Amino acid sequence: RSEAVRVGNLVLNVWMRIIRGLHHAASLCDARAWDEAVALYVGGSSQYMLYALAQNYCSDFGTCNDDSIAIANHDIMEQFELGQSIIQETPFYGCNATYTTTLDGK
């Protein structure tokens, strides 16, 4: 039980930090800040970062795609790449749309 609480707390706090980073990046059209938010999702060697957690559990919950990549990871990485390209190619006034588009998945 304590492990579930610890991991749940970590996941929720990291997710909110990622959302804050994406919002900050979109509001400033800052590609570096966007990259930092994505890096926080992907993590490094930690098995508790969100990308790794989705990978670890996708086989348990049947949410892996044919390439054994968690569908959640595949989908969010596509949205992260879309957001990055919009930030790099869009004038300042259009960057806030990136944030909304990425979170809504549209």
Side-chain angles (χ1 to χ4, degrees):
R1 181 181 283 180
S2 66
E3 177 71 8
V5 169
R6 189 174 69 78
V7 172
N9 188 34
L10 176 71
V11 167
L12 292 174
N13 281 301
V14 169
W15 179 247
M16 292 311 297
R17 174 61 183 97
I18 292 166
I19 296 300
R20 184 171 141 317
L22 294 174
H23 176 69
H24 174 75
S27 66
L28 299 176
C29 284
D30 185 349
R32 181 171 180 223
W34 189 270
D35 288 344
E36 289 172 3
V38 173
L40 190 56
Y41 178 82
V42 173
S45 60
S46 172
Q47 62 182 346
Y48 295 111
M49 296 316 284
L50 301 184
Y51 187 94
L53 284 172
Q55 282 304 118
N56 289 339
Y57 291 112
C58 76
S59 59
D60 294 344
F61 293 101
T63 57
C64 296
N65 65 17
D66 293 336
D67 297 325
S68 298
I69 303 293
I71 294 169
N73 284 338
H74 177 268
D75 292 350
I76 200 164
M77 293 308 290
E78 281 185 346
Q79 293 301 311
F80 285 152
E81 290 172 16
L82 173 63
Q84 180 71 2
S85 66
I86 292 172
I87 284 176
Q88 290 174 343
E89 298 170 6
T90 306
F92 179 77
Y93 60 85
C95 286
N96 246 341
T98 303
Y99 174 68
T100 304
T101 300
T102 300
L103 292 182
D104 290 344
K106 299 178 184 174

